[in-house]
Amino acid sequence: MTITATSRILTERRLPTPPVDGRPQSQPRIYPAADFPFKGWQPPQPDGYQKSAAAPLENAIVIDNGASTIKAGFCFDKSPRFLIPPVVAKYKDRKYSKYCSFVGHDAYADATTRGQIRQAFEQHTSIPTNWDIMEGIYDYIFLKLGVDQEGSIGRPLVITEPVTNLAHSRRMMNEMLFECYGAPSVTYGIDSLFSYRYNKGQSGLIVSSSHTSTHIIPVLNQKPQMQSCARLNWGGSQAQEFLLKLIRLKYPTFPGKLTLEQMESYIRQYCYLSNDYVPELSGYLDWSGLEEERDIIIQYPFTEQVVVEKSAEELARIAERKKESGRRLQEQAAKMRLEKLMKKEQDLEYYQQVHTSYQEATTKKEQRRLLDEAEFKDEAALERVIRDLEKSIRKSRNKDLGTVEEEETLEDQLNKFPLLDVPDDQLDEDGIKEKRHQRLMKSGVEARIRAKAEKELERAREAERQRLDVEQRETKFDQWIAGRRDQREALLAKIKEQARQKADSGNRKGMASQMRMKTLANLAADGPKRKRRGGGEYDDDFGANDDDWGVYRTVATDPASDDEEPEEDPMDALKAVESELLQYDPLFEEKDTIEAQNDWTKSVLHAFLRGARPADAESQREANQIHLNVERIRVPEVVFQPAIAGVDQAGLVEIIEGIVMSRFSDTDQQKALLQDVFLTGGNTMFSSFEDRLKRELAATTPSEFDVKVRKASNPILDAWKGAASWWSNGDATEREAASITRAEYQEKGSEYLKEHDLGNCLSYI
């Protein structure tokens, strides 16, 4: 049985969790993954265009041409009528053989349209580069606004543009607006200056942190000082991409699909600007309050197996069936063992009769006939089979009777290789192979004898080392502690190496396995290796084929002597060293031990990845969760510390200080700029942005300067509202001086620009 959870039906859930260390645990806050920003069909609003028909040249269409959202409406509107992402999806409908275009939010309607989305702006910039997409967006805007004239929109246009907009971009925009839409006039202005004018700004410092970048523009008496403005290459789009990289690095095997649109939603909903970044970051993953306040769990759609719990009666019946099955298996195994034992005894009796007949035979021809009938090559092979059968039967009987068989000593095993004393010229081919096999087995026995002797010596040396160690601890304590620390590091390195070798040992064709087989081949070699014609020794590639592994299995399955002691586990040695460090080293604490590091309740990494509760590796629900914790303050902090994201620029506070203190020498101007630091743009919407900027500016500027920071009434829409208010409430002479008419465009060209207090200056482009 399976259960499927989707982001559409998943709401905030509180799941039961067991207590940790006897402490009751609160329930986690789980939020659904953000969906694509599809808003459904947006109906046209032709009433505004009809209303503007009373004075068509006095009522302008205002468009805030943002790289994240394009806002459009009429100058007499209180807010924009349409907010449209600058994206278009085009694809061919094969059923009707027609090309379809989906603009703005409609492009996120389904997977087909999302796969064909194209952006109008260059990535991370406010520069339009795809003018086919831009034309499709403006077609959509004018259609929704109810424009019904042929060949001309019939209304003036007020368009926002970024600081120091490129002449090529403005030329292409002019050609589109005048040639394609027949606009009677076009006015360009900087979005942040419109927002500042709308919020009654006179003299101050505009901090415009928008989707693509952050601009700082000084303004004195409503005149922007464009020669002193600066730009930080960080905005909302870079923050989205940075958060996406952090999550992908945090969860490299995450099965769900992560998108930039989701990152934008997470930044807006869950991220915040820290008032004091370094101290807060240092304690962010502390268990106290992590789940209740700082850890956000986002659940992606998943499908998980649900185990149906069985009743007590069903469990009892299952247990009884298992017992009965076990009894039957035991009976079958006992019967099979008895049958095998009887078969071995019959075979032993037969081979003993053959061996007796062989010894009683008077001619070699008769002996050869007996061996051929029993399918043996020589008498040695027959004796080996008889010996193995006797040993196997004796072992089976002792096992059934519970008798402990006396182990054969290593010295006795050395006497079991008679062919090693026989010259090769007295042996046939089968005898030579058997001799090679016995030489290999004897090498293993001799190695174990040497290892046993070495173990005895090692015990004596270990006792002496312990005595000297106690003496050193009492006389040279600092050296003893340093040695223990070095020993701990060496054991940790050994544990890692063993884990690596274990992972490699499963590969039969791996380097370690091949080296092991070549070592066995060298032990089994008769004499010196053959020489190559070109020089060097001949490599018989023993171990390259799977059949060669039969020899290795013979060696590996040979029972080891009880006298041999297993090699000490490095994990046990590490725990012993850490126990001594805990007892004698004041700088070594419980949290530094390997157990504490592997204990999820004490692991910072576990808190970072899975929060303050145990993780179930088999749970698909948890595998499709992401935890936002330190990212919530790390991403917004980049504006103040760009080095966090690898941006080679100064932070916002350093840039403002450089502008005010270095580019303006008049103290009155410096004070005027700092008395009105104005924040606008979507990237300044974090609640503590004003307080943080004011505090850090006050700490870096002279104490006699009064720093005041304020935020736009609506950091996202005030640029459009300012442009609309400037046109509808401004002076007609001022509007005329800032607007490029169709006649001026035709006379002076597409790169012609009129300078005014709210727009760009040609000398700084």
Side-chain angles (χ1 to χ4, degrees):
M1 181 179 180
T2 61
I3 182 171
T4 302
T6 64
S7 58
R8 297 183 184 275
I9 62 173
L10 182 65
T11 58
E12 182 176 344
R13 300 173 57 194
R14 297 186 177 272
L15 304 177
T17 54
V20 179
D21 296 336
R23 297 170 298 172
Q25 296 293 295
S26 62
Q27 306 304 322
R29 297 180 297 167
I30 301 181
Y31 301 91
D35 207 347
F36 290 99
F38 176 63
K39 299 184 180 301
W41 183 70
Q42 302 290 316
Q45 299 183 25
D47 58 302
Y49 191 77
Q50 296 169 1
K51 180 179 178 181
S52 65
L57 298 181
E58 296 295 328
N59 296 312
I61 297 176
V62 182
I63 299 177
D64 182 5
N65 209 45
S68 173
T69 308
I70 295 179
K71 302 93 175 173
F74 291 94
C75 62
F76 47 77
D77 292 330
K78 293 183 179 181
S79 60
R81 291 173 179 260
F82 296 98
L83 282 76
I84 305 166
V87 296
V88 173
K90 296 182 179 180
Y91 77 97
K92 185 177 181 180
D93 191 326
R94 299 184 181 275
K95 182 177 180 180
Y96 298 99
S97 189
K98 291 183 179 180
Y99 284 94
C100 305
S101 294
F102 295 84
V103 181
H105 295 291
D106 296 346
Y108 298 99
D110 57 23
T112 304
T113 57
R114 291 195 294 269
Q116 303 296 326
I117 285 180
R118 298 294 180 269
Q119 299 280 341
F121 289 84
E122 181 73 16
Q123 187 180 20
H124 301 324
T125 70
S126 297
I127 302 172
T129 54
N130 194 329
W131 291 98
D132 290 337
I133 299 299
M134 184 62 73
E135 184 177 340
I137 294 171
Y138 273 65
D139 285 344
Y140 180 85
I141 289 174
F142 295 139
L143 178 66
K144 292 296 184 179
L145 289 176
V147 175
D148 56 2
Q149 294 189 13
E150 292 290 337
S152 173
I153 58 175
R155 304 291 185 273
L157 290 175
V158 180
I159 309 291
T160 64
E161 63 178 5
V163 179
T164 64
N165 188 26
L166 298 178
H168 172 75
S169 299
R170 187 180 296 105
R171 177 171 57 108
M172 296 297 294
M173 180 66 77
N174 279 333
E175 291 178 1
M176 184 182 72
L177 296 178
F178 285 114
E179 300 293 344
C180 182
Y181 298 112
S185 67
V186 178
T187 303
Y188 295 103
I190 299 175
D191 49 4
S192 56
L193 293 178
F194 279 129
S195 178
Y196 189 58
R197 180 71 64 89
Y198 180 73
N199 286 271
K200 312 300 181 184
Q202 295 292 326
S203 295
L205 204 64
I206 301 176
V207 178
S208 174
S209 186
S210 58
H211 184 67
T212 59
S213 59
T214 299
H215 286 95
I216 298 93
I217 306 174
V219 178
L220 294 173
N221 297 323
Q222 292 192 346
K223 292 185 180 297
Q225 308 300 307
M226 302 302 296
Q227 73 280 7
S228 299
C229 70
R231 179 179 65 198
L232 172 61
N233 294 325
W234 189 266
S237 63
Q238 291 89 345
Q240 295 167 24
E241 190 170 291
F242 183 49
L243 179 58
L244 181 61
K245 289 179 180 179
L246 291 178
I247 295 179
R248 284 177 175 170
L249 182 63
K250 188 174 183 178
Y251 303 102
T253 60
F254 186 71
K257 184 177 181 181
L258 304 170
T259 65
L260 289 173
E261 291 81 9
Q262 290 174 339
M263 300 304 111
E264 180 182 8
S265 175
Y266 300 156
I267 292 174
R268 184 175 64 253
Q269 295 182 44
Y270 308 126
C271 294
Y272 64 93
L273 187 64
S274 174
N275 288 319
D276 200 350
Y277 179 70
V278 175
E280 183 171 0
L281 182 66
S282 63
Y284 209 91
L285 294 176
D286 292 345
W287 291 84
S288 177
L290 175 62
E291 220 165 50
E292 295 83 353
E293 302 172 2
R294 300 185 296 274
D295 190 54
I296 298 294
I297 306 174
I298 300 175
Q299 180 71 66
Y300 278 75
F302 68 96
T303 301
E304 187 168 26
Q305 297 289 333
V306 177
V307 180
V308 180
E309 294 186 1
K310 296 179 174 61
S311 63
E313 293 79 6
E314 291 176 331
L315 293 175
R317 286 196 297 270
I318 293 173
E320 184 61 32
R321 284 198 298 269
K322 287 182 178 180
K323 286 183 179 181
E324 184 63 27
S325 176
R327 284 193 294 269
R328 286 198 300 269
L329 289 174
Q330 289 176 356
E331 292 174 358
Q332 292 176 2
K335 183 178 180 181
M336 291 176 64
R337 285 198 303 270
L338 180 59
E339 292 176 352
K340 288 182 179 180
L341 180 59
M342 294 174 62
K343 179 68 168 57
K344 289 178 182 179
E345 290 176 345
Q346 293 173 2
D347 292 343
L348 178 60
E349 183 180 357
Y350 169 73
Y351 291 136
Q352 286 176 343
Q353 292 177 359
V354 172
H355 189 256
T356 303
S357 301
Y358 177 86
Q359 291 179 340
E360 294 176 351
T362 57
T363 62
K364 289 188 176 181
K365 183 177 181 180
E366 181 68 16
Q367 291 177 344
R368 185 73 263 171
R369 184 186 64 79
L370 292 172
L371 292 176
D372 290 342
E373 288 180 356
E375 299 181 351
F376 287 105
K377 295 181 180 180
D378 52 23
E379 184 184 6
L382 176 59
E383 291 176 348
R384 186 167 61 251
V385 170
I386 292 174
R387 186 170 58 251
D388 292 343
L389 283 173
E390 289 176 344
K391 182 179 179 181
S392 178
I393 292 172
R394 184 172 62 254
K395 186 176 180 180
S396 297
R397 287 175 176 172
N398 290 335
K399 184 176 180 181
D400 292 338
L401 297 174
T403 305
V404 178
E405 186 177 2
E406 183 178 354
E407 287 288 340
E408 190 176 19
T409 63
L410 293 175
E411 289 74 10
D412 294 338
Q413 293 181 21
L414 285 176
N415 302 322
K416 294 169 55 178
F417 311 112
L419 292 179
L420 297 181
D421 298 330
V422 181
D424 290 349
D425 54 4
Q426 298 181 14
L427 298 174
D428 55 8
E429 183 180 354
D430 295 333
I432 291 175
K433 289 184 178 179
E434 177 64 21
K435 181 179 178 181
R436 176 182 295 184
H437 178 75
Q438 291 184 6
R439 180 181 291 110
L440 178 62
M441 301 301 294
K442 182 180 179 183
S443 299
V445 174
E446 290 174 345
R448 289 197 291 273
I449 292 175
R450 291 193 299 269
K452 180 180 179 181
E454 182 62 28
K455 287 288 185 180
E456 295 294 334
L457 293 176
E458 182 62 27
R459 290 192 188 98
R461 288 194 294 266
E462 181 64 25
E464 180 64 17
R465 275 199 299 268
Q466 290 179 0
R467 187 188 66 81
L468 294 176
D469 182 71
V470 174
E471 182 180 345
Q472 184 185 22
R473 189 180 68 219
E474 295 175 351
T475 58
K476 300 177 181 180
F477 181 74
D478 293 339
Q479 294 182 8
W480 183 85
I481 286 293
R484 282 296 185 269
R485 292 173 182 168
D486 294 341
Q487 185 179 358
R488 180 176 180 272
E489 295 299 326
L491 288 171
L492 288 173
K494 185 176 181 179
I495 291 172
K496 291 182 181 179
E497 179 63 19
Q498 285 184 348
R500 186 193 65 78
Q501 292 180 354
K502 183 178 180 181
D504 186 54
S505 64
N507 181 12
R508 178 174 290 187
K509 301 298 182 181
M511 181 62 67
S513 299
Q514 292 297 323
M515 292 301 296
R516 195 159 52 244
M517 293 302 300
K518 287 183 179 180
T519 301
L520 294 172
N522 292 336
L523 289 173
D526 282 334
K529 294 184 178 180
R530 289 179 288 169
K531 301 291 183 179
R532 293 180 183 269
R533 289 183 178 180
E537 295 180 344
Y538 177 77
D539 188 359
D540 62 356
D541 65 9
F542 182 76
N545 298 324
D546 288 346
D547 296 339
D548 300 335
W549 283 80
V551 177
Y552 174 70
R553 283 192 291 269
T554 302
V555 178
T557 56
D558 188 52
S561 172
D562 289 341
D563 294 335
E564 296 187 28
E565 294 183 0
E567 185 180 357
E568 184 181 12
D569 187 1
M571 183 61 71
D572 295 337
L574 178 62
K575 291 180 179 179
V577 171
E578 289 181 341
S579 177
E580 292 181 338
L581 288 174
L582 284 174
Q583 183 178 359
Y584 297 105
D585 189 357
L587 300 179
F588 191 81
E589 300 178 0
E590 184 69 30
K591 66 178 182 179
D592 300 322
T593 62
I594 190 68
E595 288 187 355
Q597 295 174 6
N598 294 333
D599 185 2
W600 70 269
T601 62
K602 302 175 182 178
S603 172
V604 176
L605 181 60
H606 181 92
F608 177 62
L609 294 174
R610 294 300 171 192
R613 60 190 57 250
D616 183 4
E618 302 298 328
S619 173
Q620 286 299 313
R621 176 179 62 84
E622 294 187 15
N624 285 272
Q625 288 177 354
I626 62 175
H627 290 247
L628 295 180
N629 34 63
V630 295
E631 298 87 2
R632 297 179 62 194
I633 60 173
R634 186 178 184 184
V635 174
E637 183 67 21
V638 178
V639 176
F640 289 85
Q641 301 184 57
I644 292 177
V647 179
D648 189 15
Q649 285 186 267
L652 180 60
V653 176
E654 291 87 345
I655 293 176
I656 293 176
E657 180 189 8
I659 291 175
V660 175
M661 307 307 296
S662 300
R663 302 184 185 182
F664 293 89
S665 56
D666 191 315
T667 304
D668 293 336
Q669 292 180 345
Q670 294 175 348
K671 291 182 178 181
L673 293 175
L674 291 175
Q675 282 181 349
D676 187 17
V677 180
F678 177 74
L679 305 179
T680 186
N683 205 40
T684 66
M685 295 187 66
F686 301 108
S687 58
S688 57
F689 203 110
E690 301 161 84
D691 298 335
R692 171 77 180 274
L693 183 60
K694 179 179 179 180
R695 186 177 67 255
E696 295 200 5
L697 280 178
T700 56
T701 54
S703 58
E704 62 270 16
F705 286 7
D706 184 18
V707 179
K708 296 181 180 179
V709 180
R710 66 187 179 107
K711 188 181 293 184
S713 57
N714 191 324
I716 295 179
L717 298 181
D718 276 4
W720 184 92
K721 292 180 179 180
S725 176
W726 173 81
W727 181 271
S728 59
N729 300 326
D731 184 78
T733 305
E734 185 181 3
R735 294 201 304 264
E736 183 178 353
S739 301
I740 304 171
T741 63
R742 182 175 179 81
E744 291 173 330
Y745 162 77
Q746 294 173 343
E747 177 185 355
K748 300 179 181 180
S750 58
E751 295 185 2
Y752 177 64
L753 173 66
K754 286 187 176 181
E755 297 185 4
H756 57 98
D757 291 344
L758 296 173
N760 281 299
C761 302
L762 284 173
S763 56
Y764 300 110
I765 297 177

